[in-house]
Amino acid sequence: MTQYSDIVSESRIEGIEGPVFFRGDSGYEAARGAAAWRANKPGRYPEVIVHPASVADVQAAVRYAGAHGLRVGVKSGGHSWVSPHVRDGAMLIDLRLMEEFRIDAEGQTLWTRPSLRGSRLNAAAREVGLMFPGGHNTDVAIGGFVMCGGYGWNGRKWGNGCANLLEVEVVTATGELLICNAEQNADLFWAARGAGPGFPGVVTGMKLRLYDFPKAIHRRIYIYGLDQLDELLRWSIEIIPNLPDNVEPIISANSVDLETGGWAPTQLRFVAVAFGDSDEEAAEALEIFETCPVMDKAAKVIRQTGVDMAALYAPSDAVDPEGYRYAADSIWTNAPAEQVLPPARALFEDLPTPYTHIFWQLWGKQPAEDMALSVQADLFVAVYTVWDDPAKDAEMMEWAPSKMRAFEPISCGSQLNDDATLYRRSRYLSEEAMARLDGICAARDPGRLFLSYLTESDPR
């Protein structure tokens, strides 16, 4: 993977101190590659890539783009499977250098630049007894995570990442710097909470709500073979209405031997993490999983107490190794088990590569507030195709959406950046929220300087 230290800038733009890469510069391709976490880089080529070192740099970059007829895409960091910020003939503002943050321990808030990694945030917050419901991988950056909804640790109790956004600092299409919250510039604040790549500006700072670090974290891991698939999935859907808020249950599946990277029998892992103010509270939240009708058929049951953050991050990082090629797709659904099981069975039983994995998350929550995030449901199903042979790119990129099309009759929509919008168009926001966002964009960015969501007509 390309490291930032490997990228050398040759060009300059007046008023910008950070590195600038025009197409054709020797460092351009390295900068373009670094803007997409996956090894299969998008076939789209910005005219210029800017790595701002400050808010003033962002303002200058936006003004330059407006003066030179360049539309603008923005990246904060992390995975961003579809990379909507990388677009032909545009300016890419890559905020990777902007990671400053400060914690107000007494007020239980964090102020941060958007490229701060959630794992780094939580390491610092842990030192003062606090925590943020950040992403499940160590390298997920806060900006994109929060603005695309944010499904993180203890999120069923603490809410989505965007529900814990209190204020944003925004550079507008004219280069103006605004503070946006519920009292001022509330339209942009509303949009920042879930619009993701559709946001009409550059978010350069965020204020987030933090929580007391749980006094107890317990985890249960139940391992099954595919012969228990139907009963396990059916039961998991049926228990959603009765799940305690402080428990996070996920079923995953892959066919990888983590020691060799080769094939192994497909394994179903039902992992439930409980966050509590005491060991008793955490243990009580996990009792519902002992009612599983195939409990006695589990190949292995692991019961853990005193789980730390490193142990929580480790499984997610293990199944998303760096240097591989990736594609993703997802759906939200409220459908009953009878409708979910047939397409789910076809998905779970036909993994095309060892590292390809399925993420079956029991959610059962609706957005708690009025914000752009507006598509959620009881169950989230996502598939991440993982391969290493470039010759298989076309086949593997199509595999995930080909399987998820079978869910379309029961789908409420997809999760931003965990989708395959270039192959299978899906809904990110409700119709009402999308219309409201369109109105905000028309008012705040009438010239449509800022790019929005990818469409099937964009280069892949």
Side-chain angles (χ1 to χ4, degrees), residues 212-448:
D212 289 330
F213 194 91
K215 293 182 173 61
I217 302 176
H218 291 197
R219 179 166 61 184
R220 300 275 177 87
I221 304 172
Y222 308 84
I223 300 175
Y224 295 92
L226 275 176
D227 52 342
Q228 309 305 323
L229 179 66
D230 277 17
E231 283 189 90
L232 181 62
L233 296 187
R234 180 182 297 277
W235 172 78
S236 73
I237 293 172
E238 292 172 350
I239 66 170
I240 290 174
N242 298 315
L243 287 173
D245 286 350
N246 62 325
V247 69
E248 182 177 304
I250 296 166
I251 298 176
S252 65
N254 63 33
S255 301
V256 69
D257 181 327
L258 289 176
E259 292 186 3
T260 67
W263 284 96
T266 300
Q267 188 178 84
L268 306 175
R269 294 171 62 88
F270 193 163
V271 181
V273 180
F275 302 83
D277 289 332
S278 66
D279 284 321
E280 291 75 18
E281 182 184 3
E284 182 180 356
L286 294 172
E287 288 180 1
I288 189 171
F289 301 104
E290 301 297 324
T291 68
C292 180
V294 292
M295 170 67 70
D296 60 344
K297 297 179 182 177
K300 192 174 185 179
V301 178
I302 303 170
R303 296 178 172 87
Q304 300 171 321
T305 61
V307 179
D308 61 18
M309 291 303 298
L312 290 182
Y313 284 120
S316 296
D317 288 343
V319 298
D320 287 333
E322 282 196 68
Y324 279 75
R325 311 175 85 79
Y326 284 84
D329 203 358
S330 67
I331 60 103
W332 285 102
T333 183
N334 288 315
E338 305 80 59
Q339 296 179 29
V340 179
L341 286 179
R345 191 180 303 115
L347 180 63
F348 276 86
E349 293 178 348
D350 187 29
L351 301 182
T353 67
Y355 269 111
T356 294
H357 53 281
I358 299 164
F359 188 78
W360 177 280
Q361 183 178 23
L362 312 183
W363 188 253
K365 297 286 183 178
Q366 294 300 315
E369 303 177 46
D370 181 27
M371 51 190 177
L373 178 70
S374 47
V375 172
Q376 285 184 176
D378 285 346
L379 177 67
F380 177 66
V381 183
V383 61
Y384 303 88
T385 316
V386 188
W387 70 101
D388 58 5
D389 183 358
K392 294 185 176 180
D393 281 359
E395 175 190 355
M396 292 295 101
M397 291 294 287
E398 172 61 33
W399 189 87
S402 73
K403 289 296 182 181
M404 300 310 283
R405 287 188 188 102
F407 289 90
E408 286 180 350
I410 58 173
S411 172
C412 302
S414 296
Q415 182 176 315
L416 274 171
N417 276 349
D418 287 78
D419 68 313
T421 189
L422 293 170
Y423 296 80
R424 187 185 72 85
R425 189 65 176 166
S426 188
R427 175 188 296 178
Y428 306 132
L429 311 180
S430 69
E431 291 184 12
E432 180 183 3
M434 194 69 236
R436 184 171 173 181
L437 178 61
D438 286 342
I440 293 170
C441 291
R444 292 288 187 169
D445 182 18
R448 301 293 175 161

Side-chain angles (χ1 to χ4, degrees), residues 155-223:
R156 298 186 65 254
K157 181 175 182 179
W158 291 341
N160 300 80
C162 65
N164 290 290
L165 181 62
L166 303 175
E167 187 171 273
V168 286
E169 177 187 272
V170 176
V171 174
T172 69
T174 61
E176 183 182 6
L177 186 65
L178 299 179
I179 298 299
C180 311
N181 52 42
E183 284 73 45
Q184 57 181 326
N185 300 304
D187 57 336
L188 289 174
F189 178 62
W190 176 91
R193 302 171 91 195
F199 184 77
V202 185
V203 170
T204 54
M206 294 179 162
K207 183 178 181 181
L208 301 168
R209 180 186 297 112
L210 302 178
Y211 293 87
D212 289 330
F213 194 91
K215 293 182 173 61
I217 302 176
H218 291 197
R219 179 166 61 184
R220 300 275 177 87
I221 304 172
Y222 308 84
I223 300 175

